[in-house]
Amino acid sequence: MSDFDFDLFVIGGGSGGVRAARISAGYGAKVALAEEYRLGGTCVIRGCVPKKLMVYASGFPGAVEEAQAYGWDAQIGAFDWTKFRGKLDAELTRLEAIYRRGQEGAGVTLYDQRATVVAPHEVQLADGTRVSAKHILVAVGGKPFVPEFEGCEHVLTSNDMFKFDTLPKTMLIVGGGYIACEFACIMAGLGVDVTLFNRSPLLRGFDTDARDVIIGQMERAGIKIHTGVVIDKVECLGDDFRIHASDNRDEVFDAVLYATGRVPLTEGLGLEDAGVKLGSRGEVLVDAYSQTNIPSIFAVGDVTDRIALTPVAIREGHAFADTIFGAKPTTMDHDLVASAVFTQPEFGTCGLTEDEAREKGPVEIYLSSFKPMKSAFAGNPEPVFLKLVVSKEHRTVLGCHIVGESAGEMIQMVAIAMKMGATKEQFDATCAVHPTMAEELVTMRSPARTD
Ligand code: NDP
């Protein structure tokens, strides 16, 4: 008989938390989980899922244009945002219910309220109840970061993007990472006049060639991109907003979105009082087993600021459960995690950029850029772009960067080969699937550049 109320108390019902809770309960642990908002967390409620549905919604004007070019008498009418938002809300509610059933079915006790840590084995719920647990798992995620400036209270964050009563006609998006670029493409696709400001080049940290292709296509899609610009002031004019920027630009927009990064959501969580060490960004510092310096307290997902991606949080949560309750010590391997930026064109990436790889040794660079059959037939001049970064010494494929339709789907498959340490020659020994875009991955014969 345990001295604690629970074997495990999970704080946060997002991707990492629910996975850890369900798997731990499956191993026979007595588990509780507290969520202050909605089960599913950032990914399901205000991130990946609603964003991807908006990506789909924004792609239809282009699809209808293509259909016309193929001979269809197709016309697109106006976009009914209210109808879409209603369906989106219903879908999120459906998914949230699935998450709840999953937890309840696994025997997890749910608390629909905020929980904070008060001691290494104790949490306090918002209603004042104190609960003890042998292990505490912090999986509270992150929140959008908005820098301080005059009028910063007027700007929107990604949390607000699914809640508009009506879509703005003009929108300024500030930032140059995943979220800024994705929403710039989504909103432009939905007919919004989009301007994008960033303090540095867009998609900094990603492969330069791939970035250039994406940025070029975003500009040709009508997105007005200005880099090297920051905002000094946002003034609310009633229904719209006047911005003043560092390059003396003065403009009025219906809405201003800040997508300038996310920070771990540890403020006020009681972790420091319980002795848990945090990093400079407020992230929970953990070892490879997601354990903090306090042996009973663990953390997974965005709150640890390792790789802020849903599948990573899920793996970390699962590894925690296997280690603590499944007698299978497991760590999440953070190497070669593929990801996709759902810009239009889509961007799939895995491994090192050309610059990163070259720092480690000589490389060969294989490039392919061509007009894909489907869109070229419709008269669309935009190319698909594929790049392999290959170690000259070991022949392994160190990086793969794909820009084009379904790049996210393609990179998932490439990541398997890369994770197995596949060489360029093994890629080439794989027979092509024809006619596809991905066949170019196994038919790039001569390097475009070599060290
Ligand atoms: P990112 O870290 O990707 O990008 C932040 C951007 O904001 C950068 O361009 C950065 O510029 C700029 N910025 C940062 N601070 C300031 C500041 N004080 N003033 C002006 N500009 C600033 O963050 P996001 O918010 O786009 O996304 C957060 C994370 O969420 C991502 O890193 C990713 O892990 C995850 N995510 C993943 C998605 C996916 O898998 N498709 C989709 C959405 C989010 P600079 O380059 O100069 O630093």
Side-chain angles (χ1 to χ4, degrees):
M1 187 72 186
S2 169
D3 295 336
F4 300 103
D5 297 325
F6 293 98
D7 298 316
L8 171 65
F9 197 102
V10 180
I11 307 180
S15 303
V18 295
R19 173 60 69 98
R22 189 166 58 77
I23 302 300
S24 300
Y27 285 130
K30 189 177 176 198
V31 182
L33 182 146
E35 167 57 53
E36 63 180 332
Y37 184 51
R38 295 174 69 180
L39 279 179
T42 299
C43 171
V44 177
I45 304 299
R46 51 182 122 66
C48 319
V49 171
K51 180 274 306 285
K52 189 87 191 271
L53 290 166
M54 281 180 82
V55 170
Y56 291 136
S58 67
F60 286 105
V64 169
E65 249 177 56
E66 221 168 54
Q68 287 167 350
Y70 270 77
W72 286 97
D73 177 16
Q75 304 296 329
I76 196 151
F79 177 60
D80 185 343
W81 165 257
T82 314
K83 179 175 177 185
F84 172 79
R85 198 191 58 185
K87 284 205 76 172
L88 183 64
D89 287 344
E91 178 63 3
L92 301 188
T93 301
R94 186 182 76 82
L95 293 174
E96 189 185 356
I98 291 173
Y99 274 77
R100 183 170 295 277
R101 282 200 300 277
Q103 294 295 295
E104 288 169 349
V108 175
T109 302
L110 291 174
Y111 294 100
D112 293 310
Q113 51 183 311
R114 182 170 168 79
T116 52
V117 178
V118 286
H121 291 285
E122 199 167 20
V123 300
Q124 176 160 340
L125 295 163
D127 67 7
T129 313
R130 288 201 171 199
V131 180
S132 66
K134 189 168 182 198
H135 303 280
I136 295 170
L137 179 69
V138 180
V140 294
K143 64 171 183 182
F145 160 77
V146 177
E148 288 282 322
F149 59 88
E150 195 180 334
C152 61
E153 68 278 12
H154 300 309
V155 306
L156 306 173
T157 69
S158 55
N159 290 348
D160 305 305
M161 291 302 288
F162 315 106
K163 299 180 189 160
F164 289 114
D165 289 331
T166 52
L167 280 186
K169 288 195 171 50
T170 60
M171 183 165 205
L172 172 66
I173 299 181
V174 180
Y178 282 82
I179 296 178
C181 292
E182 288 180 347
F183 274 118
C185 295
I186 290 170
M187 298 312 275
L190 294 178
V192 178
D193 181 357
V194 176
T195 303
L196 188 61
F197 283 3
N198 196 36
R199 64 180 182 185
S200 47
L202 298 192
L203 296 170
R204 195 169 62 85
F206 290 100
D207 190 83
T208 315
D209 288 329
R211 285 164 51 190
D212 289 347
V213 176
I214 297 165
I215 293 165
Q217 292 198 32
M218 285 171 68
E219 284 178 327
R220 287 190 289 281
I223 298 166
K224 287 162 261 176
I225 298 173
H226 302 280
T227 53
V229 187
V230 289
I231 290 191
D232 307 324
K233 186 176 168 186
V234 173
E235 203 184 331
C236 178
L237 304 175
D239 286 343
D240 43 23
F241 302 90
R242 179 188 299 282
I243 64 99
H244 184 265
S246 54
D247 59 353
N248 274 332
R249 198 182 294 269
D250 246 305
E251 280 182 65
V252 174
F253 297 94
D254 291 345
V256 180
L257 165 69
Y258 258 70
T260 43
R262 294 175 59 84
V263 287
L265 199 48
T266 44
E267 209 182 314
L269 207 60
L271 289 166
E272 284 151 302
D273 298 341
V276 175
K277 283 199 185 122
L278 303 183
S280 59
R281 284 166 49 82
E283 75 276 21
V284 183
L285 299 176
V286 290
D287 67 11
Y289 290 95
S290 297
Q291 189 171 30
T292 71
N293 60 306
I294 302 295
S296 58
I297 302 182
F298 293 72
V300 295
D302 291 8
V303 76
T304 62
D305 205 19
R306 288 177 280 185
I307 302 178
L309 296 173
T310 297
V312 173
I314 292 172
R315 284 289 172 97
E316 289 169 356
H318 203 125
F320 159 82
D322 284 347
T323 302
I324 302 301
F325 299 107
K328 282 185 285 186
T330 310
T331 56
M332 156 78 198
D333 180 1
H334 292 89
D335 192 29
L336 289 173
V337 172
S339 73
V341 187
F342 292 99
T343 37
Q344 289 150 29
E346 203 167 292
F347 178 27
T349 179
C350 184
L352 302 180
T353 66
E354 179 175 342
D355 293 344
E356 287 167 345
R358 189 163 281 123
E359 275 172 27
K360 294 179 189 289
V363 291
E364 282 180 357
I365 303 301
Y366 293 82
L367 299 174
S368 179
S369 178
F370 60 96
K371 289 184 198 162
M373 183 193 274
K374 181 177 169 229
S375 53
F377 183 81
N380 179 349
E382 298 294 3
V384 62
F385 170 84
L386 301 99
K387 174 170 181 176
L388 293 178
V389 180
V390 177
S391 159
K392 212 168 168 184
E393 190 187 353
H394 307 292
R395 307 301 303 151
T396 41
V397 175
L398 301 174
C400 178
H401 312 283
I402 306 174
V403 181
E405 194 177 326
S406 303
E409 306 290 344
M410 284 190 251
I411 202 69
Q412 179 67 86
M413 299 294 117
V414 177
I416 300 171
M418 288 178 65
K419 197 76 186 160
M420 294 171 78
T423 61
K424 176 71 170 69
E425 284 64 34
Q426 287 168 322
F427 270 59
D428 295 349
T430 307
C431 197
V433 177
H434 185 72
T436 63
M437 290 186 282
E439 67 182 300
E440 292 285 321
L441 288 164
V442 298
T443 55
M444 288 190 256
R445 290 173 54 182
S446 321
R449 292 189 284 277
T450 178
D451 289 339

